[in-house]
Amino acid sequence: MTKSAAILSSNPLPRAGPYPTGDPLLFCVYHKDEYPQGNGKMEAPKVGNGSDFDPDQPYRMYHGTKIPGFPSHPHRGFSTITATIEGLIDHADSVGNGGRYGQGDLQMMVAGKGIVHSEMFPLIHTDKPNPTRFFQIWMNLPAKNKMVKPAFEMFWAHTVPVYETEDGKAKATLWIGQNYWNIAKNPNTPPPNSWADDVSNDVVISHITIQPGGSITIPKAHEPSVNRSLYYIEGNSGAIVDKAPIQEKVYLELDPNREVVLEVPVSATTAGEFLWMQGKPIEEPVAQYGPFVMNQEAEIYQAFMDYEETKFGGWPWPRDDMVFPAEKGRFALFDGKETTPFDDSEGREVSPDL
């Protein structure tokens, strides 16, 4: 076990499957798939078996058959956060929202009283590989917000604040969080009723990259009661956390009332990457079964009954594994209005790479 004044506990990361999380977070998966060239239909060379999560393969089909991803499925009682680094994702939901996003974009969705959505990973490029890297995170909702109206927000990569150290050897993408480093105000406001929407809950989700010889300091938390976690996710030469050497991929629980210095040795041959997450705990009972997260088991039973009866509004799309045309660029469809990362008044052509 790695020990220091700021490290409360240290455990190896699981080789596959969800990472450990603390209240208010429920679930976190780091997706890293080396998808090959597409076949012109955005399909992978192999056919999925309906549940392909094999960590020994270069890529996984997940619940997809010909296109990897997660075809339509329901959620109730929590929020989802999809924070992208590389690759593209197609989103569709039962409210009629949709989009294609990635390359650093951030999507947040409050499932609330119930929503059905799909997240597919189309192999758009036929002339080069289609790798993806992103985090899928679930954050709980307090009881008072579990049955609110679903909400959806898309934040394009160029609007997501990034802090960079003076020497340029470390940077932190602040997907969620306020008033850390020199980022006085994050311009991207989480959806209403999300736990992250209340600044006093001090929610942070940040991706940190440190080049060899670089370092960065995670400041003390604003709210002393937050659960603070750090995940060492990439790097083959080790790292240093609060002066303690880290050689394997680990999950660290940190003291939120201490600054923590992260370093990558100058002798390292690759950059080190970390995921930092924290939030004030909700401190309510959690009853979870599959895609539903409530407070009591009876509410889970009711969620299944409601879904069987209403399908949470039904599925307005022509296919369960909804993907959009390969030539379509990044976009978000919300309340019937389509937006893109681009200023249409400039007449720029939208490319799937942008």
Side-chain angles (χ1 to χ4, degrees), residues 199-266:
V199 176
S200 68
N201 292 329
D202 200 10
V203 174
V204 171
I205 300 178
S206 178
H207 176 230
I208 298 170
T209 303
I210 306 174
Q211 300 300 325
S215 67
I216 193 170
T217 300
I218 296 178
K220 296 178 183 179
H222 306 310
E223 164 54 52
S225 69
V226 299
N227 287 323
R228 173 175 280 191
S229 303
L230 185 71
Y231 307 80
Y232 176 43
I233 60 165
E234 294 286 351
N236 61 13
S237 303
I240 301 169
V241 177
D242 197 39
K243 299 183 180 180
I246 304 289
Q247 293 300 327
E248 59 182 345
K249 304 302 186 294
V250 294
Y251 158 64
L252 305 174
E253 291 181 302
L254 301 179
D255 182 344
N257 300 302
R258 292 178 179 268
E259 291 186 344
V260 179
V261 178
L262 312 182
E263 304 170 74
V264 171
V266 69

Side-chain angles (χ1 to χ4, degrees), residues 51-123:
S51 187
D52 176 15
F53 292 81
D54 187 349
D56 293 321
Q57 299 301 314
Y59 66 89
R60 283 137 292 279
M61 296 297 290
Y62 301 105
H63 294 316
T65 302
K66 294 183 178 180
I67 297 175
F70 298 86
S72 62
H73 56 282
H75 288 308
R76 171 181 278 184
F78 62 98
S79 345
T80 66
I81 299 149
T82 308
T84 68
I85 302 170
E86 185 178 16
L88 295 169
I89 301 171
D90 279 9
H91 166 92
D93 65 40
S94 55
V95 183
N97 301 322
R100 172 168 290 161
Y101 66 104
Q103 313 289 19
D105 299 330
L106 172 70
Q107 182 196 268
M108 298 186 67
M109 184 182 76
V110 172
K113 65 182 180 180
I115 196 168
V116 180
H117 78 146
S118 64
E119 299 286 344
M120 304 305 299
F121 318 139
L123 277 63

Side-chain angles (χ1 to χ4, degrees), residues 110-153:
V110 172
K113 65 182 180 180
I115 196 168
V116 180
H117 78 146
S118 64
E119 299 286 344
M120 304 305 299
F121 318 139
L123 277 63
I124 291 173
H125 302 293
T126 58
D127 58 345
K128 61 181 181 180
N130 292 271
T132 60
R133 279 211 301 151
F134 64 94
F135 295 98
Q136 179 69 53
I137 299 162
W138 294 6
M139 184 179 297
N140 203 4
L141 291 172
K144 66 177 183 177
N145 290 343
K146 284 191 176 291
M147 296 298 286
V148 298
K149 180 182 177 181
F152 169 90
E153 294 285 354

